[in-house]
Structures are given as C-alpha cells and as structure tokens.
Amino acid sequence: YSSLSIFYVMWPFIIQARLHHSPAFFGRCAGIIGCAWLAGNLLIKLFSIKQWKLQIKQAIGILMLVCVLAYALYPRLSLLQCYMGFLIFFITVNACIFPTMFAYCLNKSRDIAGTVSAVTGAGFWFFGGIASMLASQVNIHVTRNIFHVYSCLTLLMLIAYLFYVPKDSAIRSE
C-alpha cells in the first residue's frame, strides 16, 4: 500500500517541477495508476492461486525484475515513459499482493475479523505515512533516487515476507 502513498507524495512534484506538465496531466497519470491498482486486484481474482505463499513469492520476484528493468531502461526511454511504465507494473503487482495479505490477516482470526481489519488497516496507513514522509525527502531531480525508493520498498516486502510469514501458514477455506 505504501507504493500508492509514495506515488501521491512524489508524483505531483515530478510531473510539474521536473517534467513541466500541468496539474491536469498529473490527474490523468493518477487515473492511470488507479486503473493499474484495479487491474492488479482483478488479476489476482482471475488467476487465483491456491498456494498464496507461492503467489506472494512470484509477485515479489516480478517486482524485483521490474526494478532491475527500470534501472536498465531509464537511459534509453523518455523520463515520462520510464516512470509511468515502471509505476504501472509496480502498482499492478503490488495490488496483487495487498488483497492476498489482507485476506491472510483476516483469515487467521475469523472470530475477531473486525478488530483484525481495523488493526491491519491502521498498519497499512501508518507504514504508508512513514513511507510518504521518507519519500518526501528524496531529491526528485535525480532519476535513480526515485527508483531507489521503490527498490527499497521491494526489499522491505521481501524481508517482511521472509521473516514475518509463518512457515506452516495456510488460508483456510470453507
């Protein structure tokens, strides 16, 4: 979820100050990113994998590949193409991870699902706020810095997956 928070903190400045486009252009970019988030949620529902841990591993692997491709391709593409292409893929894959992890949290404690939903949602907002605060300190005039932010976010997801997700966990279905 932090990927969206970072987008909404950094992108207005990138679009207007660095790329010299209008605020309306940023609105269109935000709409495209919203569609990417929706597409990720629809993809995860369409290609539902029963082994959710495998699904998360694959998504994190794709995110790492997207980050490597962004570093490799940004000198060859226009800045806007590189940013938007990178973000569309990044946000779409993140939207595949988000509902899976949220469902995992809710399924672990069905009896108190409302409380778990509130705590999990507060955690998403809290860590999204911290990510936004840190992203606001990044110098947007250096392209690699922007990719560094998303690469660090991907590494944090990998670390969280490796150390947080229990080895014997499974989502119960009824």
Side-chain angles (χ1 to χ4, degrees):
Y1 189 76
S2 295
S3 59
L4 280 179
S5 300
I6 291 170
F7 169 78
Y8 288 115
V9 166
M10 294 176 76
W11 265 77
F13 300 104
I14 293 170
I15 293 291
Q16 294 173 35
R18 181 138 188 231
L19 300 176
H20 308 294
H21 290 287
S22 69
F25 186 80
F26 167 73
R28 288 190 289 275
C29 291
I32 291 169
I33 294 301
C35 289
W37 184 265
L38 176 65
N41 279 284
L42 294 175
L43 281 173
I44 202 65
K45 186 162 178 66
L46 183 65
F47 299 112
S48 181
I49 299 172
K50 296 295 179 196
Q51 296 177 348
W52 69 275
K53 289 170 70 174
L54 175 64
Q55 179 181 349
I56 298 296
K57 276 188 215 176
Q58 290 172 342
I60 291 173
I62 291 170
L63 285 176
M64 295 171 103
L65 179 65
V66 167
C67 288
V68 168
L69 285 174
Y71 282 111
L73 293 177
Y74 91 88
R76 293 172 183 82
L77 300 172
S78 78
L79 214 49
L80 185 63
Q81 289 172 332
C82 192
Y83 284 155
M84 283 304 291
F86 171 71
L87 278 175
I88 287 169
F89 282 111
F90 197 88
I91 298 292
T92 302
V93 173
N94 272 321
C96 292
I97 294 172
F98 180 81
T100 303
M101 291 305 294
F102 192 66
Y104 168 73
C105 291
L106 290 177
N107 260 333
K108 290 303 279 184
S109 305
R110 288 185 180 191
D111 299 338
I112 55 170
T115 304
V116 172
S117 176
V119 170
T120 306
F124 290 138
W125 283 102
F126 176 75
F127 289 112
I130 289 175
S132 296
M133 180 188 67
L134 294 174
S136 69
Q137 303 302 313
V138 173
N139 179 3
I140 62 167
H141 295 290
V142 179
T143 303
R144 283 187 178 250
N145 287 350
I146 297 161
F147 295 137
H148 291 330
V149 169
Y150 286 100
S151 296
C152 288
L153 191 60
T154 302
L155 287 176
L156 286 173
M157 283 190 277
L158 177 63
I159 291 168
Y161 174 79
L162 292 175
F163 292 106
Y164 174 71
V165 176
K167 303 298 181 233
D168 62 341
S169 58
I171 295 180
R172 295 175 285 190
S173 61
E174 289 182 8

